[in-house]
Amino acid sequence: MSDKPAAFATADEAEAAFYAAFAAIDLAAMGAVWLDSAGVVCVHPGGGLLRGRAEVMQSWAEILTGVSPPSIEHRLIERLAAGDQEVHVVEESIRAGGDAQAAPNRVLATNVYRLGPDGWRMLVHHASLPLMIKRREPDSGRQLH
């Protein structure tokens, strides 16, 4: 039996594996999704830029260690494909600890996948909290022009 991770035939398969690893808090499965390259990049909500596989995987180890599995769903918003790269813009809905009654945290993410000799792998994950639009106060009746 080989220690080599299974190849993902499509970027969609790699994405499904990424979110399954996140939901299962499975660091080994998370590592299997990422490209084995110094060129990988990750930004977690509110976090700084992480560069290189070692730094990215260290961040996932910190996120996934000692927590209860979250409930996480994702919805593809946009897909851009060109040759050996694919970009997915997704909306993530995350409930900490898998509590179905808790209000989900909404996160917007851009996931970039690259096709290599070992199939599709994640190259970039950039997640951020969406901008909260402040509701306007009721019109005072004044007109500027």
Side-chain angles (χ1 to χ4, degrees):
M1 184 166 172
S2 173
D3 288 336
K4 190 175 183 179
F8 301 111
T10 66
D12 290 334
E13 282 185 19
E15 189 155 85
F18 171 77
Y19 286 106
F22 194 173
I25 58 171
D26 185 337
L27 187 59
M30 179 63 75
V33 173
W34 284 86
L35 192 64
D36 191 11
S37 165
V40 301
V41 174
C42 186
V43 177
H44 298 293
L49 176 64
L50 303 168
R51 290 188 177 135
R53 182 175 168 87
E55 199 169 280
V56 169
M57 292 312 302
Q58 178 60 39
S59 75
W60 282 110
E62 292 167 8
I63 289 169
L64 301 177
T65 300
V67 297
S68 298
S71 168
I72 183 166
E73 297 173 5
H74 72 285
R75 176 179 66 88
L76 182 66
I77 297 171
E78 188 73 36
R79 175 194 317 265
L80 305 165
D84 67 349
Q85 289 200 108
E86 210 167 292
V87 178
H88 294 184
V89 177
V90 300
E91 179 182 58
E92 302 172 348
S93 180
I94 305 169
R95 288 181 173 88
D99 181 358
Q101 304 304 317
N105 292 308
R106 183 172 162 248
V107 177
L108 297 176
T110 302
N111 298 325
V112 180
Y113 301 93
R114 178 176 288 160
L115 177 61
D118 295 327
W120 288 89
R121 299 278 187 243
M122 184 171 271
L123 177 65
V124 175
H125 174 71
H126 183 173
S128 62
L129 299 174
L131 179 64
M132 300 301 292
I133 299 173
K134 190 174 182 179
R135 294 190 185 265
R136 292 178 43 167
E137 295 296 320
D139 217 357
S140 66
R142 296 186 317 168
Q143 192 171 11
L144 294 178
H145 53 177

